Amino acid sequence: MGESHHDDSDGATATEAAVQLLRRDIVTGALTPASKLKIRELKERYGIGASPMREALAQLSAQGLVQQSSQKGFRVPPLSAAELLDITRSRQLIEVEALRLAITHGDASWEDEIVASFHLLEHYFRRVVPQPTSPNDEFETRHARFHHALIAACPLHLVRSFCETLYEKATRYRLMMRTDYGFSNDCVIAEHRTLMEAVLSRDVDGAVREHHAHIQLTADILLDVLAHSPEQGDDRFVGQ
Amino acid sequence: MGESHHDDSDGATATEAAVQLLRRDIVTGALTPASKLKIRELKERYGIGASPMREALAQLSAQGLVQQSSQKGFRVPPLSAAELLDITRSRQLIEVEALRLAITHGDASWEDEIVASFHLLEHYFRRVVPQPTSPNDEFETRHARFHHALIAACPLHLVRSFCETLYEKATRYRLMMRTDYGFSNDCVIAEHRTLMEAVLSRDVDGAVREHHAHIQLTADILLDVLAHSPEQGDDRFVGQ
DNA sequence: TTTCCCAGTTTTGTCGATAAAAATGTTGCT
DNA sequence: AGCAACATTTTTATCGACAAAACTGGGAAA
């Protein structure tokens, strides 16, 4: 089961370290979805004091990555088909607009980063084929970098950061799939390549259509997985 | 000259109270834009301990209503024309989509709340005409309620909550205008009435156009005010 | 058996104190 | 004067301890 027990690895303050570790473990699923987050346990899990722990939890709860009820502490937000649908539709609405703006505003360096991150994504499969899931997940890093690069040229900072939030929430669901599926490598690359080509050729409508479809596809797969695995949450009161 | 010094008025925990009070004072401008937020001062200002104060600050900083630098504490985010433009464009992109969805999904009770909140907004001027700015600002409450009602029927929870965040950020700038302008009452009502009528008649394109223009108009006025008042921030290092 | 109430335990939320870091002010040197 | 090193004060970030609230389990009453 899950075990970490790092102590240091602090860039600066203990709170920041706690935020990073917590975020990682929640997005990854190392902390199971509907479970309770008792500060005592987290405290000894990460070797960080209670105060920075609470501060980190407060920060993440404001960001929607942790739930907080008034005098009943914190818990990992449960996964639900309803939320996944909300996330998916929101991304299809917003991220697509961000992409549109990025395409019309993007310069050469924007294109370069897209190409570079794509090749990193592509090369991941050539080297590390057999491993289905590595814990620190290099693949996720590269995938995130590619999707980040796409909308990096969107001039609206707030919209971009909202997209990042949505992407992170979607990642929680996506990582869930990893155990069940081996995620057919070639297919994934093809998907992303056509998307990239549409973007680089400044074909706005094509890129938008492609991006919309890309989000829809992964969502469909995930919804299917969700439907067949109603077991979630280890603690009582799973309901949202 | 800010003064509050409430002690209780807590719905539940001290942190929640701190969040509410801080949020109010930042949005209102009671805490001046680029100023530093020393916990000592806040602590005695609100009569709340340091720990809940830090927790509240962390929460708000995750929401973008407070800035935090690693070992240099917290401060109120500065106001800038650049950010106002970002907020405006983002609202014109997102909030308009939310409105579109609300119009196609809204039911009778949605319409009712729009009508009700509009009349409350309208009646505000009939009763409380002369006061230019009341501190707790009943007007803001009603205005917020109306704009909230418009998109309340948007089925995408995440998009809606993002709109609320944007609205709140915009409010910071809007409240700034209150001192300089007397904001011509009749004109404001007319604006909102035509918007409401377009929405209620399910004229999607008309409502969208109206809403877009509404946001643009207030932004234009505010940008003008901003240009003529470069003085902001009482503490050193105003730069963004 | 079911329900309700009451101890005991765990957990949460808050306070005060403290070390580390930053900001400030002061002195001495070129 | 201008600048640099140092001493002092302020502020931040963190820890440990404690009261209040929530949860748990066992027994008494219906």
Side-chain angles (χ1 to χ4, degrees):
Chain A
M1 306 297 165
E3 72 299 309
S4 298
H5 247 316
H6 305 150
D7 329 290
D8 37 354
S9 84
D10 52 305
T13 78
T15 302
E16 290 172 47
V19 168
Q20 275 193 318
L21 294 173
L22 259 177
R23 151 169 288 137
R24 180 171 62 73
D25 284 355
I26 289 174
V27 172
T28 305
L31 293 168
T32 67
S35 67
K36 192 144 194 327
L37 292 169
K38 311 187 190 183
I39 49 299
R40 177 89 54 92
E41 292 177 9
L42 297 177
K43 195 171 121 91
E44 58 190 33
R45 173 175 229 236
Y46 298 122
I48 292 179
S51 312
M53 212 64 227
R54 283 193 64 85
E55 213 170 303
L57 285 166
Q59 217 162 313
L60 291 180
S61 98
Q63 228 182 297
L65 226 75
V66 161
Q67 283 186 342
Q68 178 175 29
S69 7
S70 211
Q71 236 115 356
K72 303 202 289 180
F74 305 86
R75 53 176 56 228
V76 181
L79 299 178
S80 73
E83 200 209 14
L84 176 54
L85 234 123
D86 200 306
I87 295 168
T88 303
R89 294 278 148 76
S90 297
R91 288 185 70 194
Q92 289 178 330
L93 199 69
I94 310 300
E95 207 163 330
V96 144
E97 292 298 324
L99 182 62
R100 212 188 288 274
L101 283 172
I103 293 176
T104 68
H105 286 81
D107 61 355
S109 73
W110 168 68
E111 293 182 5
D112 290 347
E113 170 60 15
I114 290 177
V115 175
S117 60
F118 172 75
H119 281 124
L120 278 154
L121 187 63
E122 189 181 35
H123 285 8
Y124 172 78
F125 292 103
R126 306 212 185 284
R127 326 231 163 180
V128 213
V129 195
Q131 282 171 303
T133 302
S134 59
N136 201 11
D137 249 6
E138 181 63 19
F139 172 76
E140 266 311 317
T141 307
R142 302 191 180 195
H143 188 256
R145 179 171 170 182
F146 176 72
H147 277 276
H148 174 83
L150 287 179
I151 62 170
C154 168
L156 299 180
H157 184 274
L158 290 164
V159 171
R160 240 166 43 224
S161 94
F162 182 53
C163 285
E164 299 293 337
T165 303
L166 288 178
Y167 179 86
E168 189 175 51
K169 285 192 198 298
T171 302
R172 277 188 83 206
Y173 287 86
R174 188 149 25 77
L175 286 185
M176 186 182 68
M177 181 170 64
R178 287 306 207 49
T179 49
D180 299 39
Y181 285 67
F183 63 93
S184 48
N185 30 33
D186 294 334
C187 176
V188 172
I189 290 194
E191 271 270 309
H192 288 83
R193 168 170 279 128
T194 59
L195 174 54
M196 175 185 68
E197 283 168 356
V199 169
L200 290 184
S201 67
R202 309 275 176 165
D203 172 15
V204 176
D205 292 332
V208 162
R209 206 167 32 240
E210 204 62 47
H211 200 255
H212 188 98
H214 176 61
I215 295 175
Q216 185 66 48
L217 179 67
T218 58
D220 284 342
I221 298 175
L222 289 174
L223 279 168
D224 187 61
V225 176
L226 256 185
H228 290 279
S229 69
E231 21 76 17
Q232 90 171 192
D234 59 344
D235 260 291
R236 53 234 153 242
F237 208 68
V238 175
Q240 98 133 298
Chain B
M1 316 292 175
E3 71 301 306
S4 299
H5 247 316
H6 306 150
D7 327 292
D8 38 354
S9 84
D10 51 304
T13 80
T15 302
E16 290 173 47
V19 168
Q20 276 193 319
L21 293 173
L22 260 176
R23 149 168 289 138
R24 180 170 63 72
D25 284 354
I26 290 174
V27 172
T28 305
L31 292 168
T32 68
S35 66
K36 192 144 194 326
L37 292 169
K38 313 187 189 182
I39 49 300
R40 178 89 56 91
E41 293 176 8
L42 297 176
K43 193 171 120 91
E44 57 191 34
R45 174 174 228 234
Y46 299 121
I48 292 180
S51 312
M53 213 64 228
R54 282 193 65 84
E55 214 170 300
L57 285 166
Q59 219 162 311
L60 290 179
S61 99
Q63 226 182 301
L65 226 74
V66 161
Q67 283 185 344
Q68 176 175 29
S69 7
S70 211
Q71 236 115 358
K72 304 202 287 180
F74 304 86
R75 53 175 57 227
V76 181
L79 298 179
S80 73
E83 199 209 15
L84 176 54
L85 235 121
D86 200 305
I87 295 169
T88 303
R89 293 279 147 76
S90 298
R91 288 185 71 194
Q92 288 177 330
L93 200 68
I94 311 300
E95 206 162 331
V96 144
E97 292 298 323
L99 183 61
R100 212 188 287 273
L101 283 172
I103 292 177
T104 67
H105 285 82
D107 60 355
S109 72
W110 168 67
E111 293 183 5
D112 291 346
E113 170 60 14
I114 291 177
V115 175
S117 60
F118 172 76
H119 280 123
L120 277 153
L121 187 64
E122 188 181 37
H123 285 8
Y124 172 79
F125 292 103
R126 306 213 183 284
R127 325 230 165 181
V128 213
V129 196
Q131 283 172 302
T133 303
S134 58
N136 200 11
D137 248 6
E138 180 64 16
F139 172 77
E140 267 310 320
T141 307
R142 302 191 180 194
H143 188 257
R145 179 171 171 181
F146 176 72
H147 277 275
H148 174 82
L150 287 179
I151 62 171
C154 169
L156 300 180
H157 184 275
L158 289 164
V159 172
R160 239 165 44 224
S161 94
F162 182 53
C163 286
E164 299 293 336
T165 302
L166 289 178
Y167 178 86
E168 188 174 52
K169 283 192 197 301
T171 302
R172 277 187 83 206
Y173 287 86
R174 188 149 25 77
L175 286 185
M176 187 183 69
M177 180 171 64
R178 290 305 208 49
T179 47
D180 298 39
Y181 285 64
F183 65 92
S184 49
N185 30 34
D186 294 334
C187 176
V188 172
I189 290 195
E191 272 269 308
H192 288 82
R193 168 171 281 128
T194 58
L195 174 54
M196 174 184 71
E197 283 167 356
V199 169
L200 291 184
S201 67
R202 308 278 173 162
D203 172 16
V204 176
D205 292 332
V208 162
R209 207 167 32 242
E210 203 61 48
H211 200 255
H212 188 98
H214 176 60
I215 296 175
Q216 185 66 48
L217 179 67
T218 58
D220 284 343
I221 297 175
L222 289 174
L223 280 168
D224 187 62
V225 176
L226 256 184
H228 290 276
S229 68
E231 21 77 17
Q232 88 171 194
D234 59 344
D235 260 292
R236 53 239 151 237
F237 209 67
V238 175
Q240 94 134 300

